[in-house]
């Protein structure tokens, strides 16, 4: 049977760590190695771990250098066939290891297996549970497409072959946050990801300061912090998201598939606020088939481009370029129509959330750009279908 190594980087969370370790000890499929990498804790973590009578536990202490450094150094001591990276404040469902490892055992072509999760908060009244927050519709498209558009898969919910980590290289130590997102995308662009329809861990939500020791932030500011960091991550991932791989997400005529791939990469970058990169892809897609209307699959890509959880903030230059595309070609008009549909969805969401300031801002944006729900309904649209899996050969880019 394949072996499992658990890696837990920790910093000043003794009580949470002990609870996380208890959830690991209750796994229905026992793990084979538990590496605790103490990144400079000063709260008695070492003494607490010393009381644990479990030969699988290996404790390492180092000066505070951040989560990436902790993971890279801990990985050097991992001996398992499968790697399971767990946060020190979250809890694992009892059959999580059994559920995830069964997929890797049975499907040798799968490099990463992931599952869902729930959130919990401890109050005086007891423990309260909520859903996972953002979660995409995984019934359409491949996991990679959803990961490019937004993070939804977390390391506690992932079991990864050690050979996959060896191929993609170490965690980026120049990033203060979003290191998980960076690594997940790097893995997903090289190896098939399989999702199971099951909760495998519980994510603790708590107040107070978050992030690495040198750059703490209040929990109330978490969305803005992560949005900025995700944008930095995607700037560095440009060379890891080749159009050839995105083309493998779709079936249809080669020229239509190429256009869809351009639009898809552009949509991912737009959702992360990187409009210069997004516009380069949008323009390349439109110019590749300027007189052919966009089909429903491509219009769906455009809608998603401006329907992300972090909002829509295209700069003036991007708005000017969008206006030029809308006026120049049939495909450009359809692109604008698809973006307009997405903006209307975002406006409805803001209104539902009673965020009238955001709703008015988006309405002004819609008016200023001239984006509308228009498409060439009477024209013959090229057939295009989104695949449910990516052919193995596409990962060899």
């Amino acid at each position: 049977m394949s072996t499992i190594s658990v890696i837990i980087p920790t910093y000043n969370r003794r009580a949470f760590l002990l609870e996380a370790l208890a959830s690991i000890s209750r796994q229905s499929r026992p793990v084979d190695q538990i590496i605790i990498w103490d990144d400079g804790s000063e709260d008695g973590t070492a003494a607490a771990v010393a009381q644990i009578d479990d030969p699988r536990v290996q404790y390492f202490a180092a000066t505070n250098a951040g989560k990436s450094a902790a993971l890279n150094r801990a990985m050097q001591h991992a001996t398992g066939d499968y790697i399971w990276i767990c946060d020190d404040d979250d809890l694992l469902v009892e059959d999580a290891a059994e559920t995830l490892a069964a997929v890797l055992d049975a499907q040798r072509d799968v490099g990463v297996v992931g599952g869902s999760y729930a959130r919990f908060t401890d109050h005086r009244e007891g423990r309260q549970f909520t859903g996972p927050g953002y979660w995409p519709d995984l019934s359409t498209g491949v996991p990679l497409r959803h990961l490019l558009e937004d993070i939804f898969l977390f390391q506690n919910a992932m079991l990864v072959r050690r050979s996959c980590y060896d191929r993609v290289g170490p965690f980026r130590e120049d990033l203060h946050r979003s290191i998980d997102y960076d690594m997940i995308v790097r893995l997903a662009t090289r190896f098939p990801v399989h999702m199971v329809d099951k909760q495998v861990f519980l994510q603790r939500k708590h107040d107070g300061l978050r992030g690495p020791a040198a750059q703490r932030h209040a929990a109330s500011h978490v969305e803005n912090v992560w949005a900025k960091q995700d944008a930095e991550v995607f700037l560095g991932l440009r060379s890891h998201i080749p159009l050839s791989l995105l083309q493998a997400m779709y079936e249809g005529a080669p020229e239509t598939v190429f256009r869809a791939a351009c639009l898809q990469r552009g949509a991912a970058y737009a959702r992360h606020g990187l409009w210069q990169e997004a516009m380069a892809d949008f323009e390349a897609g439109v110019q590749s088939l300027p007189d052919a209307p966009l089909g429903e699959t491509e219009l769906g890509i455009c809608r998603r481009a401006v329907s992300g959880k972090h909002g829509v903030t295209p700069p003036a230059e991007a708005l000017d370029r969008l206006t030029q595309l809308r006026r120049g070609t049939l495909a450009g008009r359809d692109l604008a129509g698809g973006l307009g549909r997405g903006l209307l969805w975002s406006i409805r969401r803001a209104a539902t959330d009673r965020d009238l300031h955001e709703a008015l801002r988006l309405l002004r944006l819609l008016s200023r750009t001239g984006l509308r729900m228009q498409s060439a309904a009477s024209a013959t649209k090229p057939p295009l279908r989104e695949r449910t899996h990516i052919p193995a050969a596409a990962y060899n880019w």
Side-chain angles (χ1 to χ4, degrees):
M1 180 180 291
S2 296
T3 55
I4 302 173
S5 289
V6 175
I7 296 177
I8 310 176
T10 189
Y11 176 69
N12 283 344
R13 283 179 172 170
R14 178 187 60 185
F16 291 155
L17 173 64
L18 294 178
E19 194 174 357
L21 287 169
S23 73
I24 294 173
S25 69
R26 292 192 293 267
Q27 290 300 299
S28 58
R29 173 170 171 167
V31 302
D32 301 276
Q33 181 186 32
I34 304 170
I35 298 174
I36 301 172
W37 193 274
D38 189 343
D39 192 36
S41 296
E42 300 173 340
D43 64 344
T45 292
V49 173
Q51 300 300 312
I52 298 174
D53 183 19
D54 188 336
R56 299 174 300 172
V57 174
Q58 299 176 18
Y59 174 81
F60 299 88
T63 57
N64 185 267
K67 185 177 180 180
S68 292
L71 290 172
N72 288 335
R73 286 149 184 75
M75 194 76 73
Q76 297 174 10
H77 299 272
T79 59
D81 302 302
Y82 306 151
I83 302 295
W84 198 2
I85 296 173
C86 298
D87 286 340
D88 57 1
D89 59 341
D90 295 329
L91 307 176
L92 303 176
V93 176
E94 291 186 6
D95 62 350
E98 181 180 359
T99 298
L100 298 175
V103 175
L104 296 184
D105 289 344
Q107 302 184 43
R108 303 303 300 177
D109 61 322
V110 172
V112 180
V113 58
S116 183
Y117 66 100
R119 291 174 170 176
F120 73 93
T121 306
D122 286 329
H123 300 281
R124 290 182 179 179
E125 300 80 11
R127 183 162 287 178
Q128 297 181 354
F129 294 88
T130 60
Y134 173 77
W135 193 260
D137 179 7
L138 296 176
S139 66
T140 62
V142 297
L144 173 60
R145 189 260 279 177
H146 296 289
L147 285 168
L148 293 178
E149 293 178 349
D150 269 311
I151 180 65
F152 68 93
L153 180 59
F154 294 93
Q155 288 179 324
N156 289 62
M158 294 168 49
L159 199 61
V160 183
R161 296 187 192 277
R162 172 58 188 267
S163 58
C164 297
Y165 277 119
D166 290 341
R167 179 175 177 186
V168 301
F171 287 85
R172 284 182 57 182
E173 296 188 19
D174 61 318
L175 293 175
H176 298 292
R177 302 176 182 87
S178 296
I179 63 169
D180 300 353
Y181 199 1
D182 174 78
M183 177 57 75
I184 291 169
V185 171
R186 286 159 55 195
L187 287 167
T189 55
R190 286 293 187 181
F191 304 98
V193 176
H194 179 91
M195 295 298 299
V196 297
D197 186 18
K198 189 171 185 179
Q199 289 183 356
V200 294
F201 89 100
L202 306 176
Q203 184 183 64
R204 186 188 302 270
K205 305 299 291 183
H206 45 84
D207 296 327
L209 297 180
R210 309 277 296 183
Q215 297 199 4
R216 309 291 272 174
H217 62 274
S220 59
H221 297 156
V222 67
E223 286 298 327
N224 289 335
V225 171
W226 288 118
K228 292 179 180 178
Q229 189 65 65
D230 287 354
E232 181 179 341
V233 163
F234 267 74
L235 281 175
L237 285 172
R238 190 72 171 178
S239 62
H240 291 270
I241 311 174
L243 288 175
S244 62
L245 181 61
L246 302 193
Q247 286 175 262
M249 295 181 181
Y250 299 96
E251 288 183 321
E255 60 273 15
T256 306
V257 167
F258 175 80
R259 186 171 69 180
C262 290
L263 297 179
Q264 180 62 69
R265 192 168 67 175
Y269 276 83
R271 286 172 72 101
H272 294 294
L274 297 169
W275 280 91
Q276 181 175 347
E277 290 73 17
M279 287 308 307
D281 284 327
F282 288 156
E283 289 165 348
V286 167
Q287 292 164 7
S288 68
L289 278 177
D291 300 320
L294 271 61
E296 285 304 316
T297 298
E298 293 170 292
L299 290 172
I301 296 172
C302 298
R303 289 194 296 269
R304 295 195 303 271
V306 288
S307 306
K309 63 182 180 182
H310 295 311
V312 187
T313 54
E317 179 189 0
L319 296 178
D320 291 341
R321 292 164 72 176
L322 283 172
T323 299
Q324 293 174 9
L325 283 178
R326 178 176 62 86
R327 295 173 177 172
T329 63
L330 178 58
R333 191 187 76 179
D334 277 2
L335 168 69
L339 294 174
R341 291 186 191 182
L343 278 176
L344 287 172
W345 181 90
S346 294
I347 290 168
R348 286 195 295 269
R349 181 179 63 178
T352 300
D353 294 340
R354 298 185 179 181
D355 189 347
L356 297 183
H357 176 78
E358 177 66 5
L360 289 172
R361 187 187 72 83
L362 293 174
L363 279 170
R364 288 193 295 269
L365 176 63
L366 190 67
S367 174
R368 188 163 68 247
T369 59
L371 302 180
R372 292 292 185 271
M373 292 177 58
Q374 299 172 345
S375 62
S378 61
T380 301
K381 299 186 177 185
L384 182 73
R385 187 174 71 87
E386 190 171 13
R387 284 176 164 154
T388 57
H389 72 281
I390 297 176
Y395 292 99
N396 299 322
W397 48 270

